[in-house]
Amino acid sequence: MPALYLLSAIFVVGVEQTLQWKYGAAGILGLLLLSIGIRAKSPAMSSVGAVMLALLVAGPAL
């Protein structure tokens, strides 16, 4: 079990660093809102975080 916790922590840190590098502070904020919304079972907060991440990934329309 401790190995699973270590692997999940490494994965989360890797995702956070990738978002920070590629999408900046807005990516971290979107991920934070999404994860807090899921843990708090708040559909509004998780939806806001998911929309933020989707807009960052989609980028500007050309």
Side-chain angles (χ1 to χ4, degrees):
M1 257 334 196
L4 181 63
Y5 294 139
L6 180 63
L7 288 175
S8 66
I10 290 171
F11 177 74
V12 168
V13 169
V15 168
E16 284 183 11
Q17 290 299 317
T18 302
L19 280 172
Q20 179 68 26
W21 171 69
K22 193 166 183 175
Y23 301 112
I28 293 296
L29 181 63
L31 182 65
L32 181 68
L33 286 173
L34 180 64
S35 62
I36 289 173
I38 290 172
R39 288 185 185 170
K41 294 184 181 12
S42 170
M45 191 176 291
S46 60
S47 296
V48 169
V51 168
M52 280 184 69
L53 290 175
L55 288 174
L56 284 172
V57 170
L62 295 176

